[in-house]
Amino acid sequence: VVVGGGWGGFGAARAAAENGCRVTLVDAGDPSAAMTTPSGKPFEPGMRGFWKDYPNINALGDELNIEDPYTEFTESSFFGPFGLECTAPVFSGAPELPSPLGQVFASFDRFKRLPVADRVTIAGLLYAMLDLNRTPEVFAAYDRMSAHELFRSLGVSKRLVDDFLKPTLLVGLFKPPEELSAAVTMELLYFYALAHQTSFDVRWLKRGTVQTTLLKPFADDLEARGVVFRPKTFVTELTLDAASDKVDGVALRDAATGATETLEADAVVLALGAGGTKRVIGASPAVAARAPDLAAAASLNAIDVVAVRIWFDETVATETPVGVFSNFDELRGAGGTFFMLDQLQEDSLDELWGGEEVQGSVLSCDFYNAGAVATLSDDAIVGLLAEKLLPSAYKSFGSAKVVDAHVVRYGGAVSWFSPGSFAKRPPLGTSISNVCCAGDWVKMGDREHGAKGLCQERALVSGFEAANELAARGALGPAHRREKPRLEIRDDEPAYVFGAR
């Protein structure tokens, strides 16, 4: 039984099904279904990018014959109260230099206000990048430290932190540096920015949503392989057999009818985030008592998100299709990323307007660390965007009128990598022999992959490896020992390998 959909749950289901197992996937929602607003227009709970080093997701799309789903790699702009701070370039296609020299040269003229003297202080992070994985004890020491403390100790300037690193972290790990583990922060910066010159290059879906364009074909493939889906079904308890010391059942409740049942389980994959883990383990006292690693994971907190979509009466031109807001007092500590969907999905305007007459720009915006923003009314949140933030970035928004809007609040939606949290994050292979975990926040141990941070690629691979670990443990039976292979990201550059040694 796989508990939880998305990339981790679907990855585990795929690997187990390929191994000849009978798989049931249970999800409280419907992870491959289209979401719409009350007026019938498409909606998505958070836009997600697809970075250069996503080999397994790219290969899966090819295997599923998903034709040309992505845009070209795009630039993005960072805005603060004083206007444009910087523009992140696209590195693909440019002469590639050793990292980080290539990034430095390519972005030299992209900072609009940050003095060179502040920019060069980022060099201090190179030491931490090399030192981070020297030993498990060193990694643990970095994890106990906040990113803010690390930046100060390495001489990174306050201006660089406030104007660039903080905005990047607010939309990358969804918290400010003082509330983030230094270890996870360095993993994120390395994977997305420092590993290779092109690591930061990102693209987006050119039609539909992650649910409709990617996960729906994935779900169809899983069903063709015999996977049984149980959407809109809550897990009310994991039952533990005292004699075998294994989970032997998953108790369910149908969200629509209230009907209950218990599925027998030879093995379980928990493909849940912090909120889901807290609910499921909290409702499973025997499992919590037997598995302190799962109980610890259930104690971790998560981050609130507010997702907004706005339809305007006129088309607004922007220099880049993606923008980041940070440091505005009105954001109340949140960071925001906005997406010009009419630019990213210019061939799907009828779909973006839900079949209504196409009028103007369609914008999606996600606020992270958004607990304080979430307390505002829907109208106030839309007004914050349409009347304050967007016109401060592009004056043309000042004349654009809101035709339609939709706001959804997601409490505890994404994992929070707080200082000291690494020890409590769930392991891929838990202390119960027939239970494994999947998701981008999972510690993968000997099955670690190069994709780091809150990352769709990492979530998918963790799903593969959760099923592989169950097979290796013998939890799936002697006839089901096959392990699904995975693709690795690019090798570290020689300079990094030499420096780390």
Side-chain angles (χ1 to χ4, degrees):
V1 178
V2 177
V3 181
W7 290 112
F10 280 25
R14 174 66 177 271
E18 288 182 358
N19 199 7
C21 298
R22 291 182 294 109
V23 181
T24 299
L25 190 149
V26 181
D27 194 272
D30 192 348
S32 64
M35 296 181 63
T36 57
T37 69
S39 61
K41 300 181 181 70
F43 188 82
E44 184 166 20
M47 288 286 290
R48 283 170 273 183
F50 296 83
W51 269 261
K52 185 83 169 181
D53 287 305
Y54 272 25
N56 291 279
I57 285 182
N58 292 338
L60 178 66
D62 293 341
E63 185 181 338
L64 297 176
N65 296 313
I66 302 174
E67 185 177 350
D68 193 24
Y70 304 115
T71 66
E72 298 297 323
F73 293 111
T74 68
E75 296 188 349
S76 54
S77 301
F78 288 70
F79 297 96
F82 300 102
L84 179 64
E85 294 289 348
C86 68
T87 303
V90 172
F91 296 100
S92 296
E96 194 156 349
L97 300 173
S99 178
L101 294 178
Q103 296 92 311
V104 171
F105 286 120
S107 60
F108 186 80
D109 62 349
R110 295 301 187 106
F111 288 89
K112 306 305 179 184
R113 300 177 57 255
L114 189 65
V116 173
D118 290 286
R119 292 184 231 168
V120 299
T121 64
I122 201 171
L125 296 183
L126 297 179
Y127 170 79
M129 182 181 74
L130 297 173
D131 186 50
L132 178 65
N133 290 301
R134 183 157 48 90
T135 67
E137 292 75 20
V138 169
F139 185 93
Y142 277 97
D143 181 60
R144 291 191 295 270
M145 182 188 309
S146 74
H148 178 74
E149 291 169 330
L150 177 66
F151 296 158
R152 288 186 60 186
S153 69
L154 295 176
V156 179
S157 79
K158 183 178 185 301
R159 180 88 180 264
L160 179 63
V161 172
D162 291 344
D163 292 357
F164 182 66
L165 291 175
K166 179 181 177 181
T168 299
L169 293 175
L170 275 170
V171 298
L173 289 174
F174 312 134
K175 279 284 186 178
E178 60 270 22
E179 298 182 57
L180 288 170
S181 155
V184 177
T185 298
M186 289 309 305
E187 284 188 329
L188 175 104
L189 292 176
Y190 180 70
F191 175 61
Y192 284 117
L194 297 174
H196 303 279
Q197 180 176 315
T198 55
S199 292
F200 196 68
D201 287 353
V202 61
R203 53 190 181 171
W204 314 89
L205 289 179
K206 66 192 305 183
R207 63 180 182 276
T209 65
V210 170
Q211 287 77 18
T212 59
T213 302
L214 300 180
L215 291 182
K216 181 60 168 65
F218 199 176
D220 291 343
D221 175 82
L222 292 173
E223 286 188 320
R225 296 174 185 272
V227 175
V228 176
F229 280 81
R230 299 289 302 271
K232 299 181 180 178
T233 301
F234 297 106
V235 172
T236 56
E237 185 181 7
L238 303 177
T239 61
L240 187 74
D241 178 65
S244 65
D245 207 28
K246 296 178 181 179
V247 168
D248 64 350
V250 180
L252 307 177
R253 177 172 59 82
D254 185 280
T257 67
T260 61
E261 64 176 303
T262 298
L263 298 178
E264 293 184 3
D266 296 311
V268 174
V269 173
L270 298 176
L272 300 167
T277 300
K278 189 184 293 288
R279 287 187 289 274
V280 170
I281 302 303
S284 308
V287 171
R290 167 61 183 79
D293 47 359
L294 289 173
S299 74
L300 292 175
N301 292 317
I303 299 168
D304 298 333
V305 178
V306 175
V308 186
R309 190 163 289 197
I310 302 176
W311 290 260
F312 289 96
D313 69 341
E314 63 182 67
T315 300
V316 178
T318 60
E319 293 182 10
T320 64
V322 180
V324 173
F325 290 125
S326 182
N327 293 327
F328 289 86
D329 289 340
E330 294 85 350
L331 284 174
R332 304 178 172 201
T337 307
F338 68 91
F339 307 87
M340 302 301 297
L341 298 182
D342 54 305
Q343 297 178 31
L344 296 171
Q345 302 187 355
E346 59 184 354
D347 294 329
S348 302
L349 296 181
D350 287 339
E351 181 182 346
L352 286 174
W353 280 86
E356 295 182 4
E357 178 186 357
V358 175
Q359 296 189 47
S361 289
V362 181
L363 179 141
S364 175
C365 183
D366 303 315
F367 295 110
Y368 296 101
N369 194 34
V373 171
T375 63
L376 301 174
S377 69
D378 288 3
D379 287 345
I381 293 171
V382 172
L384 171 63
L385 267 171
E387 299 167 17
K388 170 62 180 179
L389 298 176
L390 292 170
S392 74
Y394 297 104
K395 291 182 180 179
S396 300
F397 275 108
S399 62
K401 300 295 188 295
V402 174
V403 175
D404 196 3
H406 189 59
V407 178
V408 180
R409 297 159 182 80
Y410 297 96
V414 293
S415 301
W416 177 9
F417 296 118
S418 57
S421 62
F422 183 80
K424 295 183 178 181
R425 283 162 54 189
L428 185 137
T430 76
S431 56
I432 298 177
S433 64
N434 71 332
V435 177
C436 284
C437 295
D440 52 14
W441 70 316
V442 167
K443 296 184 292 188
M444 295 176 66
D446 293 340
R447 296 180 181 271
E448 188 56 75
H449 189 256
K452 304 293 184 182
L454 293 169
C455 168
Q456 296 175 93
E457 174 77 5
R458 181 178 178 83
L460 176 65
V461 173
S462 74
F464 294 163
E465 295 295 359
N468 289 346
E469 177 66 16
L470 289 172
R473 291 181 171 193
L476 305 179
H480 307 288
R481 290 281 189 170
R482 175 184 174 185
E483 295 195 21
K484 181 175 178 59
R486 70 187 194 186
L487 299 175
E488 305 298 333
I489 66 169
R490 289 176 286 177
D491 291 337
D492 293 323
E493 292 191 1
Y496 172 84
V497 174
F498 177 79
R501 286 175 179 171

